[in-house]
Amino acid sequence: MSVSTAARSFHEPVMVDEIAEVFAPVAGGLFVDATLGGGGHAEVLLRQHPERQLLGIDRDPEAIAAAQERLAAFGDRVTLRCERFDRLGELVDAAAGGPLTGVLFDFGVSSHQLDSGERGFSHRHDAPLDMRMDSRSRLDAGVVVNTYEFAELRDLLRHHADERYANRIAAAIVAARPLGTTRQLADTVKAAVPAAARRGRRHPAMRTFAAIRIEVNDELNLIEPAMRAALARLQPRGRLATLAYHSGEDSIVKIILREAADGVCECPSTLPCICGAAPTVRLLRRKVTRPSTAEVERNPRAASAVMRAAERLEPARR
């Protein structure tokens, strides 16, 4: 299948062999790629089993357009929706294609979004402060940078990026207002941190840009409802896999999957269990899977990726 430059640039699929291995035992049914990007993972999963139907979800219209081109040869096996992935439950309920047997979440920002300078995701390009994955959204990076109070900026830098110099950076941003471009923001952050922090391999503004992007797109708050909706609808022996690139993302995933695997009881600790709590998934690996050295050398952006995967169990008998 010939894939255009635009489709290829949108998303180089990370850990594609490992993802394919997770889903190999699952043949037919409905698969959901909840973070479609340019369709790289989706193409592999569709080729793996010809019985699969795919529901692809992405809030970025550019991603939908690129994936539509890439997956055109699969015809009516593919349905694409330009939506946030926290709508997964209702989109699955409305979809054709049989029972839900596979779900993939590939969190974070795509290579295309980082490399599209005009969208303002990266400190490497001078562009208006935007960072919206969906251009229809009201909140953009300019609003965050120029209207959030000092304490709000400090807290989001700490919570979203574990930024060591959150106080200094937040104060510098407030003092430098108004900031209109990514270059101005990057220079402000660089000037705010100690000299030693400016000499590292990474630009000192990388964490700030990531934190603001996560805030603009409400990325962390979407994960739990989407994953719980997926697990509630997943058929027995169906599988779910996640790729996370940020400790905040992976922490949420870890808690949800561990609770599902342990069958957490909701009854008061002083009373016998009457809620029937039982494990609903089996973790396919207790520890995370990371990309190979060869993949990281080929695609440095894969370096921080961690994969988790689980299989839905048969309902417990009462």
Side-chain angles (χ1 to χ4, degrees):
M1 182 189 301
S2 176
V3 181
S4 74
T5 301
R8 284 197 307 269
S9 71
F10 204 97
H11 181 65
E12 179 177 352
V14 172
M15 298 180 69
V16 66
D17 292 338
E18 291 85 348
I19 291 294
E21 181 182 353
V22 166
F23 290 112
V26 186
L30 177 67
F31 267 61
V32 173
D33 187 336
T35 45
L36 184 64
H41 285 115
E43 180 181 7
V44 171
L45 294 175
L46 285 163
R47 288 188 179 281
Q48 189 176 42
H49 283 297
E51 300 87 359
R52 287 176 181 163
Q53 298 288 318
L54 179 92
L55 170 62
I57 304 170
D58 205 293
R59 70 168 94 179
D60 189 337
E62 292 184 17
I64 294 294
Q68 194 164 31
E69 177 184 345
R70 184 171 198 153
L71 305 177
F74 296 102
D76 61 6
R77 292 177 60 199
V78 176
T79 301
L80 304 184
R81 294 286 181 262
C82 189
E83 301 284 356
R84 296 191 339 181
F85 63 68
D86 60 334
R87 291 195 61 210
L88 182 147
E90 59 189 283
L91 293 173
V92 168
D93 291 345
L100 182 63
T101 53
V103 183
L104 172 64
F105 291 96
D106 184 5
F107 301 114
V109 66
S110 72
S111 295
H112 176 83
Q113 289 164 336
L114 288 171
D115 294 337
S116 297
E118 71 278 3
R119 300 187 66 175
F121 282 98
S122 175
H123 62 84
R124 295 192 303 272
H125 307 285
D126 193 18
L129 287 168
D130 192 330
M131 303 192 195
R132 290 174 296 173
M133 293 180 179
D134 182 351
S135 60
R136 299 168 295 183
S137 301
R138 293 183 179 181
L139 182 65
D140 63 20
V143 173
V144 174
V145 168
N146 290 302
T147 69
Y148 275 33
E149 300 290 339
F150 162 77
E152 291 178 290
L153 286 172
R154 177 200 63 204
D155 291 348
L156 77 86
L157 289 170
R158 287 175 175 170
H159 179 63
H160 294 341
D162 298 321
E163 175 54 66
R164 180 179 179 183
Y165 304 109
N167 267 310
R168 298 174 67 150
I169 293 171
I173 289 173
V174 171
R177 287 171 175 169
L179 295 170
T181 68
T182 52
R183 181 70 51 79
Q184 291 173 342
L185 176 60
D187 289 346
T188 298
V189 174
K190 186 174 181 179
V193 303
R198 300 174 207 157
R199 294 193 289 267
R201 290 188 301 112
R202 296 184 175 183
H203 193 287
M206 282 186 66
R207 289 179 181 271
T208 297
F209 272 69
I212 294 171
R213 185 204 84 224
I214 289 169
E215 178 73 10
V216 166
N217 297 291
D218 199 24
E219 294 175 37
L220 299 183
N221 288 329
L222 306 185
I223 296 174
E224 181 172 359
M227 284 195 61
R228 293 200 185 282
L231 290 172
R233 290 162 174 79
L234 199 61
Q235 294 295 300
R237 292 187 292 279
R239 292 188 169 193
L240 178 147
T242 65
L243 287 168
Y245 305 82
H246 174 275
S247 61
E249 297 165 347
D250 188 55
S251 293
I252 297 168
V253 171
K254 179 180 178 179
I255 290 170
I256 294 169
L257 291 183
R258 287 283 171 87
E259 286 181 353
D262 292 342
V264 177
C265 176
E266 298 177 355
C267 301
S269 59
T270 56
L271 297 175
C273 175
I274 59 172
C275 70
T280 57
V281 304
R282 173 177 69 89
L283 300 182
L284 298 179
R285 297 176 178 86
R286 295 298 296 187
K287 296 183 178 180
V288 297
T289 304
R290 299 183 183 276
S292 67
T293 302
E295 178 171 6
V296 173
E297 289 176 352
R298 185 180 70 252
N299 178 18
R301 286 176 178 165
S304 60
V306 295
M307 185 185 81
R308 295 184 187 272
E311 182 178 70
R312 191 70 159 85
L313 297 174
E314 296 281 354
R317 293 183 179 180
R318 296 293 179 90

